[in-house]
Amino acid sequence: MTTQTLPNTKIAIVGYGSQGRAHALNLRESGFDVTVGLRPGGPTEAKAQADGFVVKTPAEAVKDADLVAVLTPDMVQRKLYDEVLKDNIKPGACLLFAHGLNVHFDLIKPREDIDVVLVAPKGPGALVRREYEIGRGVPCIYAVYQDKSGNAEALALAYAAGLGGARANIIKTTFKEETETDLFGEQAVLCGGASSLVQAGFETLVEAGYQPEIAYYEVLHELKLIVDLFYEGGITRMLEFISETAQYGDYVSGPRVIDAATKARMKDILTDIQDGTFTKNWIAEYEAGLPNYNRFKKADMEHPIEVVGKKLRAKMVWLSANASQPDADDATSTEKAAAA
Ligand code: NAD
Ligand code: MG
């Protein structure tokens, strides 16, 4: 890779949400020539302009780009590719994704004359930006699906480095591995598993007559301390910091909550991801206008732990000052929910 020429690479970032904004800002500061492609009048256009970017329509933005990063929601990428990108990306350019779903499950069949790569930061956009600003980075994984130029891997690596990923770690993967492990992680552990575990713990205490305020601190608020220890030093570090009583309780009760049957269900979830069942159902749900998604989301947001949590967090004024930016701003999530 020639570090002199790669920063001259013209990058078009399509989408300016969680990942789009972070990628655009980090890459510009790393010396790349960045243009943002958005639908005129869309919810994030003003934000990109306020950040000093030239904003064009997706078709115009990608026309003379050497590298096109598709950072719109996964469910709109197929239509965007078929209707706009396919006919406007210049010959021999590089098409980049931050998640492999559309390519891996054949929803997008990329033109044969282009490079197709993946660069996925292992963290939300707000963190990708914050870490970069303080001189650090979020680990990135990358993959090459199609290498027409012979330069696809170097481009993916340069992009990942431009995001700040090289300061942390860059690991090579495949579209299959990234897509399947990403879906599994968010479903079984990070989002689905963790939130269901917290809700079930809260319900157990409240149904047994304990105060919801105390249950909230025990099963949600204190989770941060534990996760910070995992992050810094794994389970070993957590065990160093908790009392012997907490450790003994962990050893005898953890396996009663998460047992072989739980793991068997995790394997079923993984199978549904691998054989495309999850993606097929998600596309059908999206195309039907998100009826179940909206119902599930409403139930989560109205759960008693949210009611008590809102009250308790209001007393911790520093929380709002340090709050993470949501992955998508309100307009974008509303748009997601209203889409199809
Ligand atoms: P997002 O919902 O935060 O932002 C989407 C952006 O795309 C917004 O600017 C929206 O206005 C724009 N947009 C929507 N439809 C469009 C269209 N038809 N044409 C042009 N622009 C359009 O999305 P995100 O969470 O940043 O996800 C982007 C990609 O990054 C996805 O592939 C996702 O899987 C991947 N990813 C996300 C995360 C994360 O933590 N959010 C982490 C790694 C990878
Ligand atoms: Mg992920």
Side-chain angles (χ1 to χ4, degrees):
M1 134 169 65
T2 54
T3 39
Q4 273 95 355
T5 56
L6 279 173
N8 295 329
T9 306
K10 284 181 122 154
I11 297 181
I13 303 276
V14 185
Y16 203 73
S18 172
Q19 292 293 326
R21 178 167 192 266
H23 291 213
L25 290 168
N26 291 8
L27 291 164
R28 181 173 67 186
E29 282 163 38
S30 294
F32 287 98
D33 173 354
V34 178
T35 303
V36 175
L38 288 171
R39 295 157 302 170
T44 49
E45 187 187 23
K47 208 172 185 181
Q49 282 163 344
D51 288 334
F53 287 104
V54 176
V55 181
K56 298 181 177 172
T57 64
E60 283 303 315
V62 306
K63 263 186 181 135
D64 61 348
D66 304 306
L67 186 151
V68 174
V70 183
L71 300 175
T72 66
D74 295 305
M75 285 302 111
V76 312
Q77 291 180 7
R78 176 187 207 166
K79 194 160 175 264
L80 178 73
Y81 180 79
D82 288 341
E83 294 178 2
V84 179
L85 305 182
K86 186 163 52 115
D87 296 329
N88 287 291
I89 292 177
K90 77 177 186 186
C94 180
L95 183 61
L96 179 144
F97 295 88
H99 180 39
L101 186 135
N102 281 278
V103 170
H104 176 59
F105 287 115
D106 288 330
L107 304 172
I108 291 177
K109 296 182 187 68
R111 252 170 43 196
E112 282 183 6
D113 66 292
I114 58 176
D115 291 345
V116 181
V117 302
L118 168 88
V119 173
K122 292 288 99 185
L127 193 67
V128 173
R129 179 61 187 152
R130 200 177 334 131
E131 290 289 290
Y132 184 91
E133 281 183 298
I134 53 184
R136 306 193 303 216
V138 167
C140 287
I141 65 177
Y142 79 98
V144 175
Y145 177 81
Q146 199 165 279
D147 182 11
K148 282 292 134 145
S149 69
N151 202 32
E153 181 160 4
L155 272 171
L157 284 168
Y159 187 100
L163 293 183
R167 298 163 175 171
N169 194 16
I170 299 179
I171 300 179
K172 188 168 185 174
T173 182
T174 59
F175 273 63
K176 173 179 162 58
E177 185 176 60
E178 185 279 333
T179 303
E180 295 172 357
T181 56
D182 189 73
L183 293 171
F184 178 80
E186 67 200 17
Q187 292 176 27
V189 181
L190 304 177
C191 309
S195 62
S196 292
L197 183 70
V198 165
Q199 287 171 338
F202 178 83
E203 288 165 12
T204 303
L205 288 175
V206 172
E207 284 164 19
Y210 299 105
Q211 298 180 63
E213 290 78 5
I214 298 204
Y216 174 88
Y217 284 130
E218 282 306 327
V219 305
L220 189 149
H221 183 83
E222 285 196 49
L223 189 59
K224 179 181 177 356
L225 170 81
I226 300 301
V227 172
D228 284 349
L229 293 168
F230 283 176
Y231 183 84
E232 287 166 17
I235 290 167
T236 302
R237 188 157 177 89
M238 180 199 76
L239 295 174
E240 282 164 13
F241 271 78
I242 64 176
S243 69
E244 284 167 333
T245 307
Q247 281 187 59
Y248 178 70
D250 168 331
Y251 305 140
V252 297
S253 299
R256 294 175 69 186
V257 178
I258 309 292
D259 60 10
T262 315
K263 196 168 155 194
R265 289 192 300 274
M266 283 188 172
K267 289 188 175 175
D268 292 342
I269 291 169
L270 182 59
T271 302
D272 281 355
I273 290 168
Q274 290 168 325
D275 69 14
T277 302
F278 170 79
T279 299
K280 193 182 86 202
N281 291 344
W282 172 214
I283 293 169
E285 171 70 15
Y286 187 83
E287 287 177 348
L290 302 170
N292 297 301
Y293 171 103
N294 287 328
R295 192 163 44 80
F296 295 144
K297 185 164 185 166
K298 188 163 181 282
D300 259 358
M301 292 171 72
E302 289 173 357
H303 190 280
I305 198 169
E306 296 309 295
V307 179
V308 68
K310 200 170 176 192
K311 223 172 60 191
L312 296 178
R313 289 189 300 271
K315 295 184 196 282
M316 298 180 277
V317 286
W318 57 90
L319 287 180
S320 54
N322 285 335
S324 311
Q325 293 304 305
D327 272 3
D329 53 40
D330 288 342
T332 315
S333 352
T334 313
E335 175 192 49
K336 264 186 210 165

